[in-house]
């Protein structure tokens, strides 16, 4: 029997309700396909990844698909998920799908958001700010490709920058102290980190930048999850 665990980042004290709701909207499709599914959190003590895996094991699941409700494949996807899954499941077959950042659904949501921002600020360039990582180069390469494609599609330059690792956002802002940008936080939640980034921008940058919403409440998250599941053959298109 096959089973799916949607893996959310989570936090010690809360879970992003909108991300959980995005997953729950797929429940009818999965139930119709006869696929058992759970949510597992990487951080915190509520409904951990291990709890979700044990529940599926107890229900008779023998083949597992992990669906990261994350944007890019860094330490969580490349190290934490396979290691923790193997510790819990032993030799049971485990498939880990790609995160959501490169899906068509997420790209379209970014494109629409930036296009609206540029309508309000027709002379500004865009900044696409992702979390970034100092440990892997692929997330930044993917970010730069997304930014280049957005620039072509919206007809305005969009610069890909990161909170951590290469292409640091504060260095870019310091390089252009007199320029105001349309800023798109490339995050799945409006949490503390995005608030910190926004506050730093307001503090260190001379101009008032326009900061757009994250993807937290976007219906694109559900569409992106469905896109990954269809591509993996888990559910029909």
């Amino acid at each position: 029997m096959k089973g799916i665990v949607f893996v959310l980042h989570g936090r010690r004290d809360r879970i992003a309700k909108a991300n959980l709701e995005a997953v729950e909207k797929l429940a009818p499709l999965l139930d119709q396909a006869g696929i058992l599914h759970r949510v597992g959190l990487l951080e915190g003590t509520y409904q951990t990844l291990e709890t979700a895996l044990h529940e599926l094991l107890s229900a008779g699941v023998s083949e597992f698909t992990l669906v990261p409700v994350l944007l890019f494949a860094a330490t969580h996807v490349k190290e934490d998920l396979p290691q923790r899954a193997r510790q819990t499941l032993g030799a049971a077959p485990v498939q880990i799908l790609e995160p959501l950042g490169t899906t068509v659904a997420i790209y379209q949501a970014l494109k629409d958001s930036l296009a609206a921002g540029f309508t309000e600020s027709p002379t500004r360039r865009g900044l696409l700010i992702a979390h970034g990582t100092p440990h892997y180069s692929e997330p930044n390469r993917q970010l730069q490709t997304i930014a280049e494609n957005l620039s072509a599609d919206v007809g305005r330059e969009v610069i890909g920058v990161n909170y951590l690792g290469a292409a640091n956002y504060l260095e870019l802002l310091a390089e252009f102290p007199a320029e105001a940008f349309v800023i798109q936080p490339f995050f799945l939640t409006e949490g503390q980190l995005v608030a910190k980034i926004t506050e730093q921008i307001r503090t260190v940058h001379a101009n008032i930048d326009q900061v757009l919403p994250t993807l937290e409440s976007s219906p694109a998250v559900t569409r992106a999850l469905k896109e990954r599941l269809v591509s993996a053959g888990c559910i029909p298109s």
Side-chain angles (χ1 to χ4, degrees), residues 25-35 226 235-236:
K25 289 176 182 176
L26 290 170
L29 287 174
L30 295 170
D31 292 341
Q32 186 176 7
I35 300 174
K226 182 180 178 182
I235 58 174

Side-chain angles (χ1 to χ4, degrees), residues 87-220:
Q87 289 171 358
T88 303
L89 301 175
V94 178
Q95 177 185 28
I96 301 176
L97 302 190
E98 289 294 314
L100 308 180
T102 58
T103 57
V104 173
I106 293 298
Y107 180 84
Q108 187 63 49
L110 295 172
K111 177 182 171 182
D112 292 345
S113 179
L114 281 163
F118 289 140
T119 298
E120 295 183 22
S121 305
T123 62
R124 296 184 181 184
R125 293 191 291 172
L127 283 189
L128 183 63
I129 302 181
H131 187 287
T133 173
H135 305 298
Y136 295 95
S137 58
E138 184 62 20
N140 184 57
R141 287 199 295 268
Q142 292 174 334
L143 175 70
Q144 299 310 320
T145 297
I146 292 168
E148 290 170 8
N149 291 338
L150 287 169
S151 298
D153 285 345
V154 300
R156 192 79 53 79
E157 184 180 8
V158 178
I159 305 169
V161 291
N162 293 293
Y163 170 69
L164 295 176
N168 181 267
Y169 77 110
L170 291 177
E171 293 177 1
L172 187 283
L173 291 173
E175 187 177 349
F176 300 97
E179 181 177 354
F181 294 88
V182 174
I183 295 175
Q184 176 64 65
F186 197 176
F187 289 81
L188 287 174
T189 69
E190 297 278 355
Q192 293 180 350
L193 181 55
V194 173
K196 176 182 177 180
I197 290 171
T198 301
E199 180 61 27
Q200 285 181 325
I201 291 171
R202 302 296 193 205
T203 301
V204 307
H205 203 222
N207 280 282
I208 301 300
D209 300 276
Q210 180 187 359
V211 181
L212 302 173
T214 69
L215 295 160
E216 179 170 327
S217 299
S218 174

Side-chain angles (χ1 to χ4, degrees), residues 6 8 18-27 39 69 222 225:
F6 294 94
L8 281 68
N19 290 173
L20 185 59
E21 290 172 346
V23 170
E24 291 172 345
K25 289 176 182 176
L26 290 170
V39 168
V69 189
T222 298
L225 289 168

